[in-house]
Amino acid sequence: MRTFSASEAKQGLASVLDAAAREPVVIQRQKRDVAVVMSMQEYERLVRLNVAEFQRFCDAVGERAAAVGMDEAKLAELLADD
């Protein structure tokens, strides 16, 4: 992974964008990693991966809830303001 200082990135944005098309680029400020620039394709891949992982999590929670008898009526009862 290529690294640019913040001032290098500011002065050479075209170089950062060219590098990010090939691999994620780390931007550092005062020798600390503060940002990553990546291609739109890589970003969209990560978003799809996160959405799929969240869906798997929700499915597992739903299956466990159903296994212990939770249904929409019981959930509504638990969430009702008394």
Side-chain angles (χ1 to χ4, degrees):
M1 197 174 323
R2 188 138 180 228
T3 301
F4 287 84
S5 70
S7 59
E8 289 171 332
K10 182 179 177 181
Q11 292 176 352
L13 181 59
S15 295
V16 172
L17 295 176
D18 289 343
R22 294 183 296 280
E23 63 181 344
V25 173
V26 175
I27 307 296
Q28 291 184 335
R29 182 178 288 152
Q30 298 176 349
K31 299 189 183 200
R32 289 184 39 235
D33 296 346
V34 295
V36 174
V37 179
M38 66 181 73
S39 68
M40 184 56 71
Q41 181 181 5
E42 180 66 4
Y43 173 77
E44 289 171 347
R45 185 188 71 79
L46 290 173
V47 168
R48 284 191 307 274
L49 182 65
N50 286 338
V51 168
E53 183 62 30
F54 183 68
Q55 186 61 56
R56 282 191 292 276
F57 169 78
C58 291
D59 292 345
V61 168
E63 289 170 8
R64 285 195 306 245
V68 297
M70 181 62 67
D71 60 19
E72 287 188 38
K74 288 181 183 177
L75 181 60
E77 182 182 322
L78 288 171
L79 296 175
D81 288 335
D82 289 337

